[in-house]
Amino acid sequence: MNYLNRKASKNVGAKVRRIIFNALLYIFLIVLVIFWVFPFFYLIIQSIRGDTVGLSTTMFPEGFNYTLQNYVKLFTDSNYNFFTWYLNTLFISVVVSIVQTIVVLMTAYTLSRLRFKGRKGLMKFMLIIGMFPGFLSMIAIYKILQTIGLSTSVFGLILVYISGSMMGYYISKGFFDTISKSLDEAAEIDGASKNVIFWKIILPLSKPIIIYTILVSFIGPWGDFMMANYLVGRAEKTSWTVAIGLQQWLTPTNSGLYFTRFCAGAVFVSVPIVILFFFLQRYYVEGITGGAVKG
Amino acid sequence: MADLEYLGMNKFKKFCYRTKNSFVEFPYKISNFFKTIPHKLKNSFKKVGSSLSEFADALIYGDWKTRLSFVFFGFGNIVHKQYLRGFLFLLYEIVFAFYMIGFGGQYISKFSTLGTVATVTLDNGFKKVGDNSFNILLYGVLTIFIIFCTIIVWISSVRQAYNSQRMTEINKKLSYGRDDLKNLGNKYYHTTLLSLPFVGLVIFTIVPLIFMIFVAFTNYNNLHLPPEKLFTWVGFSNFSTLISGNGLSGGDSEKFAYTFRIVLLWTIVWAVLATFSNYFIGMVVAIIINKKGIKFKKFWRTCLVTTIAVPQFVSLLLMSKMLATDGIYNVIITKLGGNAVRWLLDPSIAKCTVLLVNLWVGVPYTVLSCTGILMNIPDDLYEAARIDGANPYKMFTRITLPYMNFVMGPSLISAFVGNINNFNIIYLLTGGGPSYDVNMVATAGQTDLLITWLYKLTVNDQSYDMASVIGIFVFIIVALASLLTYSKIGSVKNEEDFQ
Amino acid sequence: MKKNLKGLGVLATSILSIAAVVSLASCGSGKPTIMIWGPADHETIYLEAAKEYATANSWDVDFAYGSSGDAGAYSAMSIDPQAGAEVYTFANDMLSNLNRIGALSKVTGDNLSWIKANNVEASTEAGKIGDGYYAYPVTADNGYYMYFNKSAFEGTSIWDSKTNSLKDGYTLRDMYAALDEKGGDWANSYVTWGIGDSWYDSGVFFATGGDYKVTYDEKGSQTDAKCWFGYQTAADGTQDYTIGLEAAQSMKNTFLNVDGSANKHFIYSDATSGTHLNDNITKYLKDKEHPLAAAISGTWKSVEIKSAWGDNASATFLPTLEGRTTAQGGANKEYQMKTFCGFKMMGVNPYSKSAQGDSTGDNLTKLHAFAKYLTDTDFQIKRYQSTGAGPSNLAAQKSDAVKNDYALIGLNAQYAKGYRVQDSVPSNYWTPIQKFGAGLYNDMTQGVKGTYDTEAALKRALKQLQYDIESASK
């Protein structure tokens, strides 16, 4: 009897401790999430406020003055034609994601499956090249583009983005390495060339990594400011990308007049990407855990 | 130390032992690395030597067809009926000749001086442009590259001619155009897939990179900006400016050296702190979310993942405005009665701020990866431990942590290397940070990383020469860091055996 | 085999199509394009005016507009002058930098006499290097002066009812006393000026007699920088710290009470990211607890301040500064704070495509004529009406459209009291001054000893300041 009581009370004690512990964890998580999401909440509120157009000291607009004017101005202001920038960036992203995915997959397949002289050397070479900072050669790239005649055009920017695609093979290669080689061998016995194996066997099995690569290459150009500004920033405003334009609105001369519009633009740019990301989150996670961690 | 003795120590002592070992082995590792370099050099020279010796053989033992292909690329191929290859070789030679005469030759000839004819302003205001040092250097590098490729093509053409000659002597079959095209899909598939991307890589990454490495040995800066001015070679002077403060710029050199030391130190400190804070906090959060008693797991994770989904550019710019001294965070703090914190303007606070914001942006990645791994740890390990009477802390340190370390090790290294070059966070938040240190160069601030300083030197100051030197140093640091940590993985792998 | 050929065919056509698209993209219309760089929101008026000019003068060209004018002019031009704009606006402190990279074509002959005769003298001088002039003046509204809310000072001891403005010779301490006098809503009001911003700090140093001088060689490179913000060296080698000590004390007296405590009416403004436009004005214009009563700022704030204060918005000359008392080692002297002023100029780029296209210099002459047109009276008035940019052109200033602008009235009042054209400053000018001003405020309000409090400490700081400014002569 005594023994049972003691065990019961010990269990109750443990249970209470566990509930308190869990409650603390919940509180911790809630606080964490608030800190995480607060800036975006702020962003959205700022984008729909009507009482000021600049950076303000209050969080909520006075007198409940909410408006969608900022979003409207994004499309109607001829001085800063946000919509043109959006289309530019969309065009760049689509082209870049298609080309980059193809190149990355081709490179990853080659390095994973094909054995040729200089394979290891090539991988080491690309590893070393990747250790140099990218900004270093901006002016040389600009000059090379100028020789071709594309130095201040959107096409030049696209060319620069896709030129280095080859070096992003790492994660895809990790994925391909996990596909069993016996599939290849069976196909070869049946007389298929490496070309056929690539298109007909390997790729259909790689849906997660394809989607991951497309997603990552698509999101890239939206956030690239440095290279875009360097190449296209000095051209007419109609060739700008969204990143350049948004940044223009935050310069000290402009932030008094355009901050809320920046918020509207930022929300407008982020929402599709966030939605895209959530739909494809599964593939993204598979990508970074599967390909990267295997090392 | 005997294995049994090692196993018998508690966790802390083991950690001390391993750390001591890494430090002790460190010099050995470096010396081993340097010892292998001559070995590797010897190997590569041997390879070069073997192809050269083949080349010499072709010269000595070749018949007239082979000898003629020294002058006319592809001659040997054509004569042996390999029309496709021969034609391609010949085409290459003609294009190369046109290129050198029409374009490349003039730049190579001026390469050693980088131009001597300065730009003259005529009386009517017109500027008669003379030599352009930038063009000379850039196109010179390009031409050197092309000459290099041509030499390879030349050797290849001669060797093929020689091979064909020998193979016909023993009556072996050669591969013709048709076979070559067929092999493009199979034996030479790697060529098909890689050639175009590789060309893109060469033009837009490799040639510019080599160009910038050369720039580090010139004085291409805002006092020598073409087309108005010429720049020229200055040897290692920029390096000595940066390291010892003895370069050409007089008093400025000391500032550069001082600034370099400070920025370098902060870069390394930052990389270490940023990587490990992300890792630990991410792991803790992942474990908490993954814990059995917690509900709405997907919700917590989704909220955290917002910072990955929103483009970093947007979220960081936004944060920089919110953390301004009159930004919303300070408004809230003052409303609650506190003092406004100079998040981005005080040197030490700014350093903490960037670390915190880095957590905001980086922890979700870690949480995602850790969650994946956590879900893979077999539950029976925990069961067994609980039966053995282990408390949660022991389970964490003995099962979870080593497992995580092992799997996440490689990505920790790439995160470390990535943080050394983590441009966005620093530049978009503080722009390099407050610069109250009088001894630093004007272009650098106190939260600057080497990479952000490099960017500012390039874009704001046009000091391309110093930027290139710093870029080279960044490369050296990253290469060293990668080498060291990759070798450490080996020792981590051994740990698994002990489990 | 067939598949491989097909694959090759696909590859070949895609390469060719990319090449076709690329060559199409780089094809133009055949007419030369004149590129204008100016601020982003001036695009429409510039292009309109340009087209009018082209038709009126039978100039067969196209026009394009890029937003790399003004603040971004030097960094954009330095990337590649040969791809730079034909005409572009820039801030006058970039003058020597732009000249060094050769992006400015000298203004000579008739054009030169024209700019001298038609613009505010300071604005023309802002384009001078050595003996030559290299730019056409565009605006003369980049200086600072005192904004104040009439209702905060009306009827107080510093109010001058004749001019309906502040009394001549008022100091900041007088302002604080007046605000205390006024009480009510203004009892806790704020006054601010950018003591942590080197641009404003310079006005204090100029007031007490300091200045700087930069010498250049004939190519336009800085050979020497001399500065006497801290001390002056007499012929016998002794160092006289009057200028610096007076300046430091003047600064202290703008935010400290006589007993050394911080005055409750002063709020600190500084520079963040190297600009002088992030001040506390926006924040406190709307603050109910600490409303803004006065601020030192420039024309870029005029619209915002007018919309907050309405008819009470007013602007006048800068305050008088108080030097050291006899007890502190001075002579009870007072100084008029000066404004550091900048001008927007327009330059002609001799490396641009159009200029380089004609070795007789004919195109260059046409570009100069175009620049002259863009800086002439009519367009300056148009520019003011469209964007509020204060003209440098004398006739435009007198025009009906411009002469009633309250902010420009304030600026002109200050020009009459004292100014220093912000020409090319020494290459290491801004940072040391900013550190001095911000450090002084920081340390004095936090009671830090040994940096800016005693005369010895100040002398050290001033010596370091002057050394830093002079040090970076390349």
Side-chain angles (χ1 to χ4, degrees), chain B residues 440-462:
Chain B
M440 284 176 94
V441 190
T443 35
Q446 286 166 286
T447 53
D448 255 327
L449 301 179
L450 285 173
I451 183 109
T452 58
W453 186 26
L454 189 158
Y455 180 79
K456 288 199 281 192
L457 278 174
T458 307
V459 169
N460 295 343
D461 212 36
Q462 293 85 39

Side-chain angles (χ1 to χ4, degrees), chain B residues 132-153:
Chain B
N132 186 323
S133 303
F134 182 91
N135 288 350
I136 294 175
L137 185 60
L138 180 65
Y139 297 139
V141 166
L142 189 65
T143 311
I144 290 178
F145 206 79
I146 293 183
I147 291 179
F148 187 66
C149 290
T150 308
I151 292 180
I152 295 181
V153 169

Side-chain angles (χ1 to χ4, degrees), chain A residues 38-46 55 59 259, chain B residues 318 322 328:
Chain A
F38 175 69
F40 303 118
F41 178 64
Y42 176 75
L43 184 72
I44 298 179
I45 299 279
Q46 296 304 301
L55 190 55
M59 169 90 171
F259 181 70
Chain B
L318 179 68
M322 290 169 77
I328 195 74

